Amino acid sequence: MRLSRVYFLLSLVLVFSATISSCSKANVPNKINIGFSQAMTNDEWRQSMNSSMELQASLYPHVNLTIYDANYDVQKQIADLNMFIVDSVDIIIVSPIQSKPITSTVEKALNAGIPVLVVDRKTDDQKYTTYVGADNIEIGRNAAKYIASNIQDSLSVLEIKGLAGSSPAEERSIGFHQVIDDFSEVQFVGTIKSNWEKESIADNFRQFLQDHGPIDFVFAHNDRLAQGAWEIAHNLGIEDKIKIIGVDGLSGSNGGIELVKNGVLTATILYPTGGAEALTTAMKILNGDKVPLHNILSSTVIDRFNADIMQNQFSKISEQQRLIESQVSAIKQQEKQYYSQNNTLKIILVFFLIILGLAVYSIYSKMSISKKNRQLEITNEKITVQRNQIEEIANEVKESNEAKMNFFTGLSHEFKTPITLIMSSIESLREKNKKEGYKNSFEIELIQNNSNRLLRLINNLLDFRKVEGQKFNIRASNTNIFKFTNNIFQEFKGEADKRSIKLEIKTNNEDLNLFIDRNLMDKVYFNLLSNAFKFTPDNGKIDIEIKDNLNKSNVYIHFKDNGIGIPDEELNNVFTPFFKGSNNRKNSSGVGLHLSKQFIELHLGKIEVQSYHGTEFIITLFKGNTHFNEDQIVVDPELIDTNLVEYTEETVYDDGLTESKESSNNEGYSILLIEDNRDLTLFLKNKLSQEYIILTSDGTNALELAFEHIPDVILCDVNLPDQNGYELCEILKTDLRTSHIPVILLTALGNKESFIKGLQCGSDLYLTKPFNYSILTQSIKSLLYNREKLRYYYTNNIHNIDQGHSFGDAEQSFVRELNHHIKTNLENAEFSVENLAELLNVSRVQLYRKVKAMLGMSISDYISDYRLEKAKSMLQTSNRSISEIAYCTGFSSPNYFSTSFKSKYGVTPGSYKKSL
Ligand code: FRU
């Protein structure tokens, strides 16, 4: 959503900038740059040329006309032209001051690809793109013709020439002489030089008049020179005697036409400036149109006969020009307005588009928001329905949990009475024994210890319920923590001694008193110590250290063992109710540590756990009682050191497990008991050893014992610390050495899956705890009986086993393999038990034990029996001699064969043969 908004705004900005840039482009069409180098602008003819050129240029909106004034300075004109070249103007128009000096610069421009248009005056070699202007030779001729038309007898004529080196001056002079020199009546009196301005002739002309007197005609190359000549003549008072002809014929107030009309000049020859024409021609060139090299403008003689008409014409033209000018400026104004309005329109258009876009976007947004809202509403409805369902389920679960908890709590309460009864009965039995001087029997101690344990477990269950319901009220009393610890410590001493666990209490302050709820702290201690004992191996170490942080307000109590520890990633969970560590294969309810934490927190203390080479719980408690309310503080009697559990020398607690694993010399069947609960092991061992040889293992060395001793029955717990009972059973049942041994699995897991698992691993019987002892003994008996039956079958059907159907039994396969090897080596008298063991891949002793266990005879007897059976059948079926039969059944001599045969069957082979 956010991304699409960004895209949208971005596109608006793009539209805006594109439109603005198109607006600005509209303002700058492709410009045409025209550079005009004007020779000078001090006279009206030049000014008229400039303004007519500018007027014409203004008709082309994209033309940019730049006029540089050389101001009679040839060098400046060259520099101006170079500037146009550098600026790469599209075309250069030039009116040269003089022809020669700028000729090379014009060529340079042409070489640079810039067309050059010369106006009025030409360059020397006529190398230019085009020329625009009147034909100056023709102007000279016209002047001469006009003078000639006035000849009566003779005429004196003077020429006032324009600037030497400028083409109009040279050409006018040439044309003039071409005509005038042909008239013999004409006396040409000479030429006065000028620079086109009247001041330049004043002295020379005055002097000439003074020297020669009046002359009939003067041909001045422009009207300004002509007027200057008239003024000098006028000053001398002879102006009426001299007729003067000029060139240019401007129409302004002081122009040639006015001078003609005033009688100052006899005539003037029209010399159009060519400003407008030059620009039009330049545009044609730029347009690619073909233009002639010389564009000659027409000229005419103006005298008193046509001066008025010409003036009228010119003023009309001027008027029209002004009109055009005003129209052009009006157009420009409108154009300006148009562009600004156009831009405004475009900006408005852009804003309109943006607004339109925003409107569309807001409609779209609104639609999508309302769509999302609808979806949200639907989802919300679904969530509400689901929430209600979850609430219902949660309530049901809560109710069911509540019911279960109530059931367990009720049951726990129910348990308490019988346990108490058992405990008090035991207590009175112990008292009675004491009085009568008897030692307490092992069973009494066992019942007492287990009743205590059961009571604690049930109390834990009840406490859990209470903690959950926040029903605990702490009752803290001033207690010597060392004595308190020591008293509980005594309770575990018996167990510690029994398992050679080093149990130590250390403190840096034996007199330290803390306010604790003794009842709750007792439970914490019991839970932590029971835990430590559960996971600490025999010969291990458990330490309790009370560390008084002397300068601080708190105390640490460490419980450290060197047991299996807790995996790092599980340390955070140990206080969670019902948590069981992944490496914990012991039975545990999972509430003990949770309760301990709750109880410590009721003391406003904390409990932490760390695990490194074992497990360490650290309890932190505050000293003093200021952290308790008044009603939480009670007064309990001072503690005295007591041993809560009598642990006296009279208690017979030697379980006989630590020394020899074989407990009896009984020559009967042997049973391997694999169980890690020492009390149960002790109980079963004591009971069963009356009838059987008992081997015990806590699971860690079970396989070694089984392979070494090949017991007759294996009793195996399922929950064992290393490999579990299923795994052990499977190994035993797949190993040839032990596969025949009946295995009884003992387990607390009574569900169907566990039972199936028990069967799958090959166990012969699956008994769930608590089991009835007589059922167990009866089961052992019937398993042994079955083994006997099987053994009888095997020994009496040696050959049938080879021939009959295989029933996939490991034992049958074993006997078949055994028989196969004996049969293959039947004739080999050297074939020994060692050879056979080697072929079967077992040791000689194992083979012996296996055969003994399975078949009830030694392996050598079995081989011998096999040979004799074979010999007996050969005696029955073949006609071979006794000696032959003896050798081919592997007897080293016929005598030995006869002796063996007689000892087994009571007759010699010969007598047997005869009796057939
Ligand atoms: C103007 C002018 C004209 C003359 C022309 C010749 O500067 O002197 O009077 O006809 O130049 O180039």
Side-chain angles (χ1 to χ4, degrees):
M1 186 68 186
R2 199 176 270 179
L3 203 68
S4 69
R5 196 172 294 163
V6 170
Y7 281 138
F8 181 77
L9 289 175
L10 214 66
S11 44
L12 281 186
V13 169
L14 281 174
V15 168
F16 186 76
S17 51
T19 318
I20 292 298
S21 81
S22 77
C23 292
S24 43
K25 268 182 198 156
N27 282 339
V28 189
N30 261 349
K31 277 276 177 197
I32 291 174
N33 289 312
I34 299 177
F36 173 39
S37 168
Q38 178 60 287
M40 70 287 295
T41 47
N42 55 325
D43 61 84
E44 285 173 5
W45 190 85
R46 296 281 160 184
Q47 287 159 12
S48 159
M49 182 197 262
N50 286 5
S51 54
S52 62
M53 196 180 289
E54 279 167 342
L55 180 67
Q56 194 64 26
S58 69
L59 298 177
Y60 302 96
H62 53 292
V63 164
N64 182 26
L65 174 67
T66 309
I67 302 176
Y68 289 151
D69 177 9
N71 199 19
Y72 271 117
D73 182 345
V74 171
Q75 289 313 313
K76 177 155 191 309
Q77 187 157 47
I78 292 169
D80 289 347
L81 287 171
N82 277 322
M83 281 227 303
F84 287 139
I85 297 169
V86 170
D87 290 347
S88 298
V89 294
D90 297 292
I91 190 164
I92 294 172
I93 302 175
V94 58
S95 178
I97 300 168
Q98 285 177 306
S99 301
K100 202 176 177 114
I102 67 150
T103 301
S104 62
T105 315
V106 168
E107 276 178 29
K108 186 176 160 189
L110 289 171
N111 290 338
I114 303 172
V116 181
L117 183 152
V118 288
V119 64
D120 157 43
R121 300 181 189 179
K122 297 174 183 167
T123 54
D124 238 11
D125 53 1
Q126 299 203 352
K127 273 195 185 160
Y128 37 73
T129 311
T130 192
Y131 164 77
V132 174
D135 182 348
N136 279 302
I137 293 178
E138 195 56 34
I139 284 172
R141 283 192 193 125
N142 283 342
K145 282 178 190 165
Y146 189 83
I147 292 169
S149 68
N150 284 292
I151 298 173
Q152 284 165 359
D153 297 325
S154 68
L155 271 178
S156 59
V157 175
L158 177 75
E159 183 186 12
I160 299 175
K161 194 179 170 184
L163 179 68
S166 66
S167 69
E170 302 305 335
E171 288 174 355
R172 285 174 195 176
S173 186
I174 291 167
F176 184 68
H177 283 285
Q178 280 175 355
V179 175
I180 210 76
D181 291 351
D182 287 348
F183 290 93
S184 54
E185 303 90 332
V186 172
Q187 188 198 343
F188 185 73
V189 292
T191 303
I192 291 177
K193 290 181 183 169
S194 80
N195 66 358
W196 291 110
E197 304 307 326
K198 62 183 180 185
E199 293 77 19
S200 62
I201 57 155
D203 293 340
N204 290 343
F205 188 57
R206 190 179 299 111
Q207 194 60 52
F208 182 87
L209 288 180
Q210 281 168 358
D211 292 348
H212 295 87
I215 32 166
D216 297 319
F217 266 99
V218 171
F219 170 45
H221 278 198
N222 69 12
D223 289 340
R224 296 195 304 285
L225 291 170
Q227 188 181 17
W230 180 84
E231 282 166 3
I232 291 162
H234 176 69
N235 283 342
L236 296 173
I238 55 171
E239 75 269 19
D240 293 336
K241 293 176 181 160
I242 301 172
K243 290 189 172 96
I244 303 171
I245 299 173
V247 179
D248 283 348
L250 284 175
S251 64
S253 59
N254 210 22
I257 297 175
E258 193 63 33
L259 292 173
V260 170
K261 278 174 73 178
N262 293 344
V264 173
L265 301 185
T266 307
T268 178
I269 299 167
L270 179 68
Y271 184 58
T273 63
E277 293 82 353
L279 198 111
T280 314
T281 311
M283 291 306 289
K284 278 185 189 165
I285 293 168
L286 291 175
N287 218 19
D289 294 347
K290 272 212 151 183
V291 290
L293 183 63
H294 292 106
N295 297 278
I296 303 303
L297 306 175
S298 58
S299 161
T300 185
V301 178
I302 303 165
D303 59 8
R304 60 192 167 95
F305 299 110
N306 64 355
D308 281 330
I309 299 165
M310 291 302 284
Q311 196 162 36
N312 281 342
Q313 287 293 323
F314 279 122
S315 34
K316 270 187 187 163
I317 290 170
S318 306
E319 220 168 89
Q320 275 177 351
Q321 268 186 351
R322 273 196 300 279
L323 203 70
I324 290 169
E325 263 172 47
S326 72
Q327 279 175 354
V328 164
S329 87
I331 287 170
K332 278 199 173 156
Q333 194 62 34
Q334 278 180 354
E335 203 175 53
K336 232 175 166 182
Q337 249 177 19
Y338 163 77
Y339 282 129
S340 93
Q341 282 172 359
N342 194 20
N343 286 346
T344 316
L345 187 70
K346 280 176 181 168
I347 290 167
I348 288 169
L349 196 73
V350 168
F351 279 115
F352 173 73
L353 282 176
I354 291 172
I355 289 164
L356 194 73
L358 286 171
V360 170
Y361 180 68
S362 76
I363 291 167
Y364 165 77
S365 299
K366 200 165 182 264
M367 277 164 68
S368 66
I369 286 168
S370 56
K371 194 178 164 191
K372 281 205 176 113
N373 274 346
R374 269 201 305 281
Q375 283 172 345
L376 274 177
E377 270 168 29
I378 293 167
T379 320
N380 215 10
E381 272 167 28
K382 275 186 195 162
I383 289 171
T384 314
V385 170
Q386 282 171 356
R387 201 190 51 210
N388 290 342
Q389 282 173 346
I390 290 168
E391 258 172 31
E392 266 171 42
I393 294 167
N395 280 338
E396 278 169 23
V397 170
K398 203 175 159 195
E399 276 167 24
S400 133
N401 267 350
E402 194 69 18
K404 278 183 199 161
M405 284 306 286
N406 286 340
F407 169 73
F408 282 119
T409 315
L411 210 60
S412 305
H413 279 296
E414 289 294 313
F415 278 142
K416 275 183 112 173
T417 322
I419 291 168
T420 318
L421 281 172
I422 292 169
M423 287 175 78
S424 44
S425 311
I426 289 297
E427 199 52 48
S428 42
L429 254 178
R430 283 165 61 94
E431 286 299 316
K432 196 176 159 217
N433 279 347
K434 205 174 172 184
K435 266 186 206 156
E436 290 172 6
Y438 294 126
K439 280 187 179 181
N440 282 322
S441 72
F442 153 73
E443 280 90 348
I444 289 180
E445 291 303 327
L446 203 63
I447 295 168
Q448 167 117 39
N449 285 343
N450 280 288
S451 304
N452 280 336
R453 197 169 154 222
L454 205 54
L455 193 61
R456 278 207 186 89
L457 290 171
I458 283 166
N459 280 339
N460 262 354
L461 250 173
L462 294 172
D463 285 347
F464 179 71
R465 181 78 174 134
K466 238 172 140 186
V467 162
E468 293 291 292
Q470 296 181 333
K471 285 181 187 152
F472 265 104
N473 263 333
I474 193 154
R475 294 166 51 80
S477 62
N478 202 7
T479 308
N480 178 298
I481 193 69
F482 179 68
K483 274 186 196 164
F484 177 82
T485 309
N486 210 37
N487 284 349
I488 298 174
F489 176 86
Q490 295 304 326
E491 296 222 22
F492 286 88
K493 207 162 175 343
E495 167 112 12
D497 289 348
K498 212 170 31 161
R499 292 175 52 199
S500 304
I501 289 174
K502 206 174 159 197
L503 184 60
E504 271 185 6
I505 309 181
K506 289 186 247 171
T507 182
N508 59 346
N509 183 3
E510 286 194 9
D511 301 323
L512 176 66
N513 270 26
L514 293 177
F515 275 81
I516 56 168
D517 184 319
R518 292 181 192 171
N519 180 34
L520 297 186
M521 203 51 85
D522 182 82
K523 291 175 180 184
V524 172
Y525 268 62
F526 260 93
N527 274 321
L528 295 181
L529 283 170
S530 307
N531 230 40
F533 272 92
K534 210 186 271 181
F535 297 111
T536 302
D538 292 358
N539 305 311
K541 196 170 177 332
I542 297 171
D543 287 334
I544 305 176
E545 185 182 358
I546 303 162
K547 214 186 274 176
D548 181 1
N549 294 317
L550 294 169
N551 296 323
K552 291 187 181 164
S553 60
N554 60 9
V555 176
Y556 296 145
I557 307 171
H558 298 253
F559 291 78
K560 187 167 171 40
D561 66 55
N562 68 345
I564 55 169
I566 301 163
D568 273 358
E569 63 278 10
E570 294 176 8
L571 281 174
N572 285 339
N573 299 328
V574 294
F575 298 112
T576 313
F578 311 117
F579 171 77
K580 197 176 171 197
S582 60
N583 59 351
N584 175 8
R585 305 184 84 149
K586 309 266 179 182
N587 285 324
S588 65
S589 63
V591 296
L593 288 175
H594 171 67
L595 282 176
S596 301
K597 187 167 191 276
Q598 303 294 321
F599 293 160
I600 293 295
E601 282 171 359
L602 283 172
H603 286 80
L604 302 186
K606 64 177 179 183
I607 180 166
E608 292 155 297
V609 61
Q610 54 194 39
S611 183
Y612 179 71
H613 295 318
T615 307
E616 182 172 11
F617 287 92
I618 304 148
I619 296 174
T620 309
L621 293 173
F622 284 118
K623 294 185 213 168
N625 62 5
T626 47
H627 51 292
F628 292 120
N629 297 332
E630 258 175 46
D631 53 354
Q632 291 178 319
I633 299 169
V634 294
V635 180
D636 275 343
E638 202 166 303
L639 278 183
I640 47 152
D641 291 329
T642 53
N643 291 352
L644 295 180
V645 171
E646 278 181 32
Y647 183 76
T648 58
E649 279 183 10
E650 69 181 297
T651 309
V652 181
Y653 224 102
D654 178 14
D655 58 9
L657 296 176
T658 45
E659 287 298 314
S660 160
K661 300 287 175 190
E662 286 193 34
S663 65
S664 162
N665 291 327
N666 199 329
E667 287 296 324
Y669 294 106
S670 60
I671 295 176
L672 170 60
L673 173 60
I674 309 168
E675 169 64 66
D676 69 330
N677 181 306
R678 302 183 72 85
D679 289 338
L680 186 59
T681 307
L682 203 56
F683 172 77
L684 288 173
K685 187 184 167 188
N686 277 344
K687 287 278 192 191
L688 293 169
S689 60
Q690 290 159 16
E691 279 183 86
Y692 306 105
I693 301 164
I694 304 297
L695 299 158
T696 57
S697 163
D698 62 358
T700 51
N701 59 347
L703 291 173
E704 287 87 329
L705 284 176
F707 294 143
E708 194 188 330
H709 295 281
I710 315 285
D712 293 295
V713 175
I714 294 174
L715 263 176
C716 182
D717 185 22
V718 167
N719 271 346
L720 290 168
D722 278 357
Q723 280 164 309
N724 64 37
Y726 301 126
E727 290 162 352
L728 282 178
C729 180
E730 195 163 356
I731 295 170
L732 290 166
K733 285 293 184 181
T734 46
D735 194 294
L736 186 64
R737 294 167 287 177
T738 50
S739 55
H740 63 280
I741 305 171
V743 176
I744 302 173
L745 284 180
L746 301 173
T747 178
L749 309 166
N751 56 32
K752 192 173 131 201
E753 288 74 26
S754 309
F755 187 69
I756 290 170
K757 236 172 145 183
L759 290 178
Q760 280 169 343
C761 73
S763 73
D764 298 78
L765 200 65
Y766 190 83
L767 288 182
T768 47
K769 291 177 188 172
F771 50 82
N772 185 303
Y773 180 72
S774 40
I775 290 180
L776 174 69
T777 49
Q778 200 46 54
S779 303
I780 293 171
K781 279 192 179 115
S782 55
L783 283 171
L784 286 169
Y785 177 69
N786 284 341
R787 281 251 46 96
E788 278 308 323
K789 277 207 301 192
L790 203 61
R791 186 180 290 165
Y792 180 81
Y793 170 77
Y794 283 135
T795 40
N796 291 290
N797 292 280
I798 288 175
H799 301 292
N800 293 350
I801 289 167
D802 291 348
Q803 286 142 24
H805 285 297
S806 163
F807 39 87
D809 180 75
E811 309 324 303
Q812 190 193 27
S813 311
F814 172 71
V815 177
R816 282 186 171 198
E817 204 182 344
L818 189 73
N819 291 352
H820 166 75
H821 292 306
I822 300 170
K823 195 177 171 188
T824 318
N825 292 285
L826 195 64
E827 290 179 17
N828 181 4
E830 305 285 297
F831 186 64
S832 65
V833 174
E834 280 80 6
N835 297 143
L836 185 57
E838 206 172 306
L839 287 166
L840 291 166
N841 216 11
V842 291
S843 78
R844 196 184 61 83
V845 177
Q846 282 169 343
L847 178 61
Y848 173 82
R849 286 193 173 147
K850 173 86 185 175
V851 171
K852 183 83 179 156
M854 262 191 76
L855 308 170
M857 61 174 77
S858 74
I859 180 63
S860 48
D861 286 350
Y862 184 77
I863 297 171
S864 174
D865 270 12
Y866 190 94
R867 291 183 196 280
L868 289 171
E869 278 290 312
K870 199 76 193 165
K872 192 180 164 194
S873 104
M874 284 170 86
L875 286 170
Q876 287 166 357
T877 53
S878 83
N879 288 324
R880 292 188 188 190
S881 71
I882 305 264
S883 306
E884 262 182 313
I885 291 174
Y887 288 119
C888 73
T889 51
F891 288 94
S892 50
S893 71
N895 275 348
Y896 175 50
F897 168 57
S898 293
T899 316
S900 304
F901 195 89
K902 193 174 176 199
S903 85
K904 182 161 170 69
Y905 302 112
V907 284
T908 62
S911 312
Y912 179 73
K913 176 101 181 153
K914 272 181 205 156
S915 71
L916 290 170

